[in-house]
Each structure stands twice: as structure tokens, then as C-alpha cells.
Amino acid sequence: MMKNIYAIFFTVLALFSACTSKPVADDSFKPGEIWSDNNGIHINAHGGGILFDQGKYYWFGEHKTEGEQGNLANVGVHCYSSSDLYNWTDEGIALAVMPESSGSDIEKGLERPKVVKNEKTGKYIMWFHLEPKGKGYKGALSGVAVSDNVTGPYVYLKAVRPSAGHYPVNVLDIHKGDSPAQNQNFDGGSLPGNVDTLNILGRDMKGGQMARDMTLFVDDDGKAYHIYSSEENSTLHIAELSDDYLSHTGKYGRFFPGRFMEAPAMFKRKGKYYLMMSGCTGWSPNQARSAVSDNIFGEWKELGDPCIGDTTKTTFHSQSTYILPVQGKEDCYIYMGDRWNPKDAIDGRYVWLPIRFDGDRFTIEWTDQWKLNEQ
């Protein structure tokens, strides 16, 4: 009888220990696999970006929920922290969407959040693509929030269309004339004509330019830039932010007109600026694009698909969201991509791969498992 009691006791103890033990620490990247946080839960930070601050990395991204409705990021922006990039601690929701009927702009439709630190003010600034409730996919706004703490909570300030009333630095004469696209909206994946002839830029001059898929970039001199798909997704805009990073200065350029570039990710290496982007095919992955420039306001030269051995032409079944420079490792950059699962959004996976360089061109090659010290 006593043996049976001891057996039961140790069985229960073993089960309890199994349930409460910490997850085994990761020491490598496994692209496309389930990636658990410190609680053993799959990381929930889609369409995200990384901020390095005071010795730690902070990963911000959309918090998805189960099913197709989960694609709306109807919880908010999730934050995780790490000191080694392999193991991530859940820091909670940095910016929460508001309950329905609250009247707030951020009830739903928040995408691709990115956070930067303003070294002058000490504030942490978050920008994101916002589609207000009831606007469908026609709002094309940029939301901004601010916090005194890197992990939040972030306070939502406003949502705008960038650069209202301002022409780009590379404006064409045709943009200062009439707009055949006046009072028209398109599907975001194609146009019934040339984007310049339609003059979507001119159509949106008064209210500001459309801004959807986006990223942020802070240059070596502390100047920050907002990079986003504009003009019905047909053209990429690069816009300068104010000194406090909370608004646009009105200085911007338009690039790759009619190429329908989205999911932009920017980085800088040896004085050159690089972009990685995707085409516009909704949730379905497509062939990646890349470009390089000596000046952030162009001229930008397209470099083609950076993915080597990507036989399916789907960016290894992912879409770009951020290019991460690894601190303390010279010439070490990581491609961060999302492998979307629109039928069950919470099961979206992450594809992180090492970036290599060949002259002015960067390349990405698939590997099932890799470590930073191997790069």
C-alpha cells in the first residue's frame, strides 16, 4: 500500500514538473518552425520589426488570433525581448486596439508596426498602417503612438495620410495637372492604365498620400524615414520624419512607379541603402525584389530577386517584413519574413535567414537550421 502511495506521489510530481518546467533554450534559428517564447507559446508578432535598445532586442508585431478573423490583428501590437535573438521573453501587448463601439480609430485593421527610439527626446515612437473601422481597405492611413518605455504601453496619437499638400522631390510636370483618377478607387493590385497618366499623386495631394505596407529607417545622422506603399500600392514613397519622429516634414520621394512594391524592408551597409520588397499578391507569397542606392532619395537601381535556389519563386514561401543588423557582428544581417496562414492567422510562421553579399548585391539562401556564429 505504501509503495502504491509513493508511486502515485512521484507520478504526480513528475507530471507537475513537466507542466511547470521552462522551455528548453534555443541556440539556433529554424526557419518556418514553431518558435516558442519563454512561456512555451508560439511567438505572436507578425509583420513586425526589431528595435535594439540598451543591450536588448525588442520584437514588435501584430498579435494574431485563431481563424480568418485573426488576420485583423484585433488584439494589438505584441512585444518580446531577447538578448541573443534565439530566446524571447513575452513583454505583453505594447499597444492595444480599442473595444468595438469605442469610437477609436484603432478598433481593428492595424498592420506592420515598427518602433524606433528618438535619441533626442528619449521617446519610443511606433508607426503602423491603419485601416479605420468602416473604411474597408480605402483608409490607407499611417498611425503613430508614443511611449516613455520601450515595452509600452504606447499611447495612440493620431492617424494621417502623409505629406498632404506637398509634391515629392522628384515630381513630374504631369502630376501638377488634372487627375483622371479623381474620385476613383482601385483594387490595390493593378491599375487600368499608367500611374503617372492617371495622376493618383495629384488626386491625393489635398488629403495626403495613401500609405499601406510600411517600415521605418533611422539613418546614421539620426534622421528617420517612413517607407510605404502608396498610390494604390503602385508606387513606393520614402518620406522624411520630423525631428521628434511624430510627423512628416513634407519632404519625400516616389520610386518604382507602377511596379506595385509592398512589404518594404530597408537597411544600410557601407554607405549604400538597400531595399527588399515583394509584389502585390495578397496573402499569397511571390518572388522577392531588391534595390540599391547611394542616396535615400534615389536614384534606386533594381537588383532583381535576392533569393538563391528559391525554385518556387515565393521568397521561400514568405514575405519580407524587416532586415535586422546584428549588433556586435560585422557585416551580419538577417532577413525577417512572415509565412502567412490566412485560414488560421495565429499559426503564421517566421522565416529568418542570413544575408550574404556579392559586391553591391545581397543574397539570401535557404537553410533548415543556422547559428549566428556560423555566419
Side-chain angles (χ1 to χ4, degrees):
M1 181 68 177
M2 187 62 68
K3 289 182 179 179
N4 289 340
I5 291 174
Y6 279 126
I8 294 171
F9 172 79
F10 284 113
T11 299
V12 171
L13 182 62
L15 288 171
F16 177 80
S17 298
C19 293
T20 58
S21 61
K22 294 182 180 179
V24 176
D26 286 322
D27 63 357
S28 64
F29 300 106
K30 303 176 184 68
E33 300 295 323
I34 287 285
W35 197 348
S36 297
D37 65 13
N38 60 306
N39 298 313
I41 299 171
H42 182 46
I43 292 169
N44 202 334
H46 311 271
I50 304 283
L51 169 66
F52 183 78
D53 184 53
Q54 297 183 22
K56 274 192 176 182
Y57 297 92
Y58 294 88
W59 183 356
F60 298 87
E62 306 162 34
H63 181 106
K64 301 289 192 183
T65 53
E66 294 180 356
E68 294 186 37
Q69 282 298 109
N71 293 308
L72 296 174
N74 47 21
V75 172
V77 178
H78 211 134
C79 176
Y80 297 83
S81 66
S82 175
S83 58
D84 62 7
L85 293 174
Y86 304 123
N87 300 279
W88 293 89
T89 297
D90 185 356
E91 300 287 356
I93 301 299
L95 175 68
V97 299
M98 301 301 291
E100 289 195 40
S101 75
S102 69
S104 170
D105 287 338
I106 55 169
E107 288 186 6
K108 288 185 178 180
L110 183 160
E111 295 181 339
R112 296 188 176 271
K114 303 294 185 290
V115 175
V116 291
K117 183 179 182 180
N118 189 300
E119 295 295 343
K120 292 180 180 178
T121 66
K123 303 285 187 181
Y124 298 91
I125 315 297
M126 178 189 295
W127 283 84
F128 47 88
H129 167 212
L130 179 66
E131 295 294 343
K133 183 181 178 182
K135 297 288 186 180
Y137 202 58
K138 298 177 181 179
L141 299 176
S142 296
V144 60
V146 63
S147 177
D148 291 327
N149 303 302
V150 62
T151 58
Y154 285 74
V155 177
Y156 170 69
L157 298 181
K158 60 184 177 181
V160 298
R161 279 195 170 187
S163 306
H166 295 274
Y167 285 114
V169 295
N170 51 358
V171 63
L172 303 175
D173 288 341
I174 197 172
H175 297 139
K176 298 181 179 181
D178 294 335
S179 172
Q182 197 68 41
N183 301 317
Q184 293 187 60
N185 290 288
F186 306 101
D187 64 12
S190 63
L191 291 173
N194 181 279
V195 62
D196 290 322
T197 303
L198 287 168
N199 194 11
I200 296 171
L201 180 84
R203 180 199 71 183
D204 294 337
M205 275 293 293
K206 184 177 180 180
Q209 300 302 318
M210 302 177 79
R212 288 181 175 146
D213 275 17
M214 59 139 286
T215 193
L216 297 177
F217 172 76
V218 179
D219 210 342
D220 303 331
D221 60 2
K223 280 285 185 184
Y225 299 87
H226 183 203
I227 301 102
Y228 51 90
S229 298
S230 191
E231 301 179 45
E232 302 286 357
N233 287 356
S234 71
T235 305
L236 196 76
H237 285 194
I238 300 175
E240 184 183 74
L241 293 179
S242 57
D243 286 346
D244 60 9
Y245 301 173
L246 297 177
S247 59
H248 299 86
T249 65
K251 181 180 180 180
Y252 70 105
R254 58 190 300 270
F255 305 98
F256 318 109
R259 290 284 285 127
F260 286 90
M261 306 280 206
E262 64 176 10
M266 179 181 281
F267 67 100
K268 188 176 184 181
R269 174 184 180 261
K270 296 184 177 180
K272 292 184 180 293
Y273 299 87
Y274 291 87
L275 275 167
M276 183 170 178
M277 300 148 289
S278 79
C280 292
T281 54
W283 295 114
S284 300
N286 55 60
Q287 189 171 16
R289 298 126 180 237
S290 62
V292 64
S293 177
D294 291 327
N295 188 303
I296 199 164
F297 285 120
E299 174 180 355
W300 283 87
K301 175 187 175 184
E302 286 200 50
L303 299 173
D305 183 359
C307 298
I308 296 174
D310 179 25
T311 57
T312 60
K313 305 300 182 185
T314 59
T315 317
F316 304 115
H317 300 283
S318 71
Q319 186 183 34
S320 51
T321 185
Y322 198 76
I323 303 294
L324 172 64
V326 179
Q327 299 295 314
K329 285 185 68 69
E330 185 178 358
D331 228 20
C332 185
Y333 298 81
I334 298 174
Y335 161 74
M336 292 172 52
D338 288 284
R339 186 170 286 177
W340 304 110
N341 184 354
K343 296 294 184 182
D344 189 19
I346 199 172
D347 189 38
R349 308 292 178 89
Y350 309 103
V351 174
W352 287 25
L353 292 168
I355 289 178
R356 296 183 174 90
F357 295 91
D358 181 10
D360 287 346
R361 184 171 181 255
F362 68 92
T363 61
I364 304 168
E365 195 166 3
W366 179 263
T367 179
D368 291 329
Q369 186 172 348
W370 63 282
K371 299 182 179 184
L372 289 171
N373 61 13
E374 298 170 346
Q375 302 311 307

